Amino acid sequence: DTIMKGEMEVKRLNQLKTDMRGKLIEEARETIIGLWDETNASQQQRDAFKGLNVREESEFTDELLQSHDEEIDVLRARLDQMRPMLKMIERREEVVLERTQYEELQKDPERLKQRGGALTKQLMMEEKMQKRIKKDLPKYNETLTKKLKEWKQTTGEDFMYQGLPYITIMERQESSWSAYKDSQSQKKLAKKQQEKARYSGAGGKLNLMTKRKGKPLGNNNTIGKA
């Protein structure tokens, strides 16, 4: 009877250990997925960790739990290494968004119809935006380009952000912005040329009408001679 009770207790403890191990593994997996998102891990990097492929609880072992803990340690170390760059990227993304917002503001003449303090506040805000766009954005672009290349040389991998190498994101943003500004310049030039052509045409007609008004009529000359 004592032996039977002892065996039952061992079985209970083993089951408790299995249940706890399963809970710890599931918690570790949640942590790993969160760290993957924070480090902008690519699908290839995620697939490299095979521990998530184990789904059957009967296969949840101490070794499997240890592999999860090791993956967490690696990802946390990687996140610490990435944080300074991520902060700079976030600041740059804020200015990139601000550049678009500033451009839209310039298209709205209604904003200048405000009076007193409201207009002053609006103009001061736009001045600060313009300063950040002209001064800070080029610095972020230069510094990040350098650091992103260093990262790849050191780690052998691109610095990922939202599923793409951030250097690719930067290049696309700047290329798109350059194309947009060229398009706006072409539109302004075409508009000026149209206005110039319209004014030239109107001026020519006006001159012709003036000449016609100033020219003596043929009948009057004939009467004068008679």
Side-chain angles (χ1 to χ4, degrees), residues 6-201:
E7 289 176 347
M8 289 177 62
E9 180 63 14
V10 169
K11 187 176 180 180
R12 186 185 71 81
L13 291 172
N14 285 336
Q15 184 61 46
L16 181 62
K17 182 179 179 181
T18 299
D19 292 343
M20 284 299 297
R21 188 192 298 120
K23 183 180 179 182
L24 291 172
I25 287 174
E26 291 300 332
E27 288 175 354
R29 286 179 172 179
E30 290 179 9
T31 301
I32 288 169
I33 292 170
L35 287 167
W36 277 341
D37 291 340
E38 284 191 83
T39 57
N40 297 288
S42 66
Q43 192 59 49
Q44 185 179 3
Q45 290 170 329
R46 296 175 190 231
D47 291 342
F49 178 65
K50 304 301 181 183
L52 258 63
N53 296 338
V54 180
R55 294 296 177 185
E56 295 295 328
E57 286 194 14
S58 60
E59 298 177 16
F60 285 4
T61 62
D62 289 336
E63 290 76 15
L64 182 64
L65 177 58
Q66 184 178 350
S67 72
H68 281 64
D69 290 339
E70 289 171 356
E71 178 71 4
I72 289 172
D73 290 341
V74 169
L75 289 171
R76 281 177 174 162
R78 185 181 182 86
L79 181 59
D80 288 340
Q81 189 180 5
M82 291 176 69
R83 273 201 175 101
M85 192 104 76
L86 286 171
K87 286 182 180 179
M88 188 175 294
I89 286 172
E90 286 167 5
R91 288 198 293 268
R92 180 186 175 277
E93 286 294 310
E94 288 173 1
V95 183
V96 168
L97 176 61
E98 201 167 41
R99 179 171 64 180
T100 303
Q101 292 171 338
Y102 179 81
E103 188 73 10
E104 290 302 312
L105 276 173
Q106 302 312 298
K107 297 177 184 177
D108 179 19
E110 294 297 317
R111 77 191 196 287
L112 300 177
K113 293 182 180 180
Q114 302 178 83
R115 295 183 178 181
L119 179 58
T120 302
K121 186 177 179 180
Q122 176 70 30
L123 294 175
M124 286 179 66
M125 180 193 74
E126 290 183 26
E127 185 180 354
K128 289 178 181 178
M129 290 173 74
Q130 188 181 38
K131 183 178 179 181
R132 284 191 290 269
I133 293 162
K134 288 188 174 182
K135 185 178 179 182
D136 295 348
L137 187 54
K139 288 182 179 179
Y140 288 142
N141 288 343
E142 183 180 355
T143 303
L144 277 168
T145 298
K146 181 181 177 182
K147 289 187 174 296
L148 290 167
K149 288 179 179 178
E150 289 175 352
W151 176 274
K152 188 166 185 177
Q153 289 173 354
T154 303
T155 65
E157 300 172 348
D158 284 309
F159 191 98
M160 304 299 289
Y161 185 79
Q162 295 181 353
L164 287 172
Y166 191 68
I167 196 161
T168 300
I169 292 174
M170 285 177 60
E171 289 169 354
R172 288 181 181 178
Q173 286 172 333
E174 295 310 305
S175 176
S176 176
W177 184 255
S178 179
Y180 166 77
K181 294 300 286 183
D182 287 344
S183 172
Q184 292 298 107
S185 296
Q186 291 296 326
K187 286 179 181 179
K188 286 181 181 179
L189 180 61
K191 186 177 180 181
K192 284 183 179 179
Q193 290 174 340
Q194 288 174 358
E195 290 176 351
K196 186 177 179 181
R198 186 166 65 249
Y199 291 145
S200 296

